Amino acid sequence: MRTLAALTIARYTLLEALRNRLLWLLLVMALGAVGVSGFLNELALTESRQLQAALLGAVLRLAAVFLIATFVVTSMVREANDKGLELLMALPMPRAVYLLGKLAGFAALAVLPAVLFGALALFFAPPAQAALWAVSLLCECWIVAAFSLLCMLTLSQVLPALAAAFAFYVLARAIGTLQLLGHGASAAQSAGQQALTTAIDGVALLLPHLDRFTRSDWLVYHDGGAADLLAIGAQTVIYVALMAAAGLFDLYRKRI
């Protein structure tokens, strides 16, 4: 019974996205990314195909994350404004069912950009590498969706929730580079520099390393492997579970 209720919530979450023309928006973004990367391909003097693959991968990845995060936040706000949340909370079902149903709906939605953009990756990489890139994009979108849902449950406002979600994504994407910069400095670091490096390492322990997800070099050099997929899968399971638990804690303490 509870599983059926969660699946029903997930189904209507996915239907809401489709009725909001999200699929059409994904298609437009895919065509735009192909057009821009093709234009830059014509301008490049050397390694034009590699440049096109790298740019296309980066643009498609950002487009997928932006659309998923924005839809999660705006969908939750619309539901709250329409009193749909109060209605669902009044039904005889645990709040965990509601949260898991929403997460399942957002997870199903993330399959659309992963499949569509993964199909485009086939033009630049062998099927195994394109599949790895698409699965990694799916995992990346799941983490972003779970964090966006947590932000919306906690902050309850569109702008702060979106800002927090995008700040989380940028920091998780850049944390590997920040660590390299911190540890790559000269051995004779001042106390302030050492404290900053330690702080960056501490933040890195809390964040998923999204810089290892959906890497463009898989499309360019075809060097992805099973170890990459295993690391990505493990991070996805851990962080989605942690964010779902945090969201559940926040949902149960709310008075609705």
Side-chain angles (χ1 to χ4, degrees):
M1 182 65 182
R2 292 177 178 178
T3 303
L4 181 61
L7 290 176
T8 302
I9 293 172
R11 175 172 173 265
Y12 279 96
T13 301
L14 185 59
L15 283 176
E16 178 193 359
L18 296 178
R19 287 168 181 165
N20 284 334
R21 308 290 190 272
L22 198 65
L23 182 57
W24 287 106
L25 196 53
L26 286 172
L27 289 171
V28 170
M29 283 192 164
L31 291 175
V34 170
V36 170
S37 63
F39 175 72
L40 294 176
N41 176 41
E42 297 298 325
L43 296 180
L45 298 178
T46 60
E47 298 184 335
S48 58
R49 186 170 177 80
Q50 288 84 349
L51 177 64
Q52 186 181 10
L55 286 172
L56 186 69
V59 172
L60 292 179
R61 183 180 63 237
L62 286 176
V65 168
F66 172 78
L67 284 178
I68 292 295
T70 304
F71 176 76
V72 170
V73 170
T74 55
S75 172
M76 295 298 294
V77 168
R78 185 202 58 76
E79 192 168 84
N81 291 338
D82 293 345
K83 306 301 181 185
L85 181 59
E86 286 86 344
L87 177 63
L88 289 171
M89 292 297 102
L91 296 176
M93 66 176 183
R95 296 186 177 188
V97 173
Y98 168 77
L99 184 73
L100 292 177
K102 296 301 287 187
L103 273 176
F106 296 138
L109 174 64
V111 173
L112 296 178
V115 171
L116 177 62
F117 296 166
L120 288 177
L122 284 171
F123 289 100
F124 299 95
Q129 296 295 317
L132 173 63
W133 189 88
V135 172
S136 178
L137 178 62
L138 179 62
C139 292
E140 190 170 339
C141 289
W142 282 352
I143 291 177
V144 170
F147 188 78
S148 301
L149 180 60
L150 174 62
C151 289
M152 197 56 233
L153 290 173
T154 305
L155 302 174
S156 303
Q157 297 290 330
V158 175
L159 192 57
L162 278 177
F166 290 130
F168 162 80
Y169 179 74
V170 171
L171 187 57
R173 266 275 161 196
I175 193 66
T177 304
L178 293 177
Q179 281 187 292
L180 284 176
L181 290 174
H183 290 284
S186 61
Q189 289 185 337
S190 65
Q193 289 173 325
Q194 290 179 354
L196 182 59
T197 302
T198 303
I200 292 173
D201 289 340
V203 172
L205 291 175
L206 302 176
L207 291 173
H209 283 255
L210 293 183
D211 54 312
R212 298 171 188 170
F213 284 58
T214 326
R215 287 160 45 186
S216 295
D217 54 310
W218 295 340
L219 303 180
V220 177
Y221 302 112
H222 314 155
D223 56 354
D228 296 308
L229 184 60
L230 185 62
I232 288 169
Q235 286 196 65
T236 303
V237 170
I238 291 170
Y239 281 98
V240 170
L242 287 175
M243 291 171 192
L248 197 58
F249 173 78
D250 194 72
L251 189 60
Y252 268 103
R253 73 179 178 83
K254 282 181 179 295
R255 291 186 177 181
I256 300 175

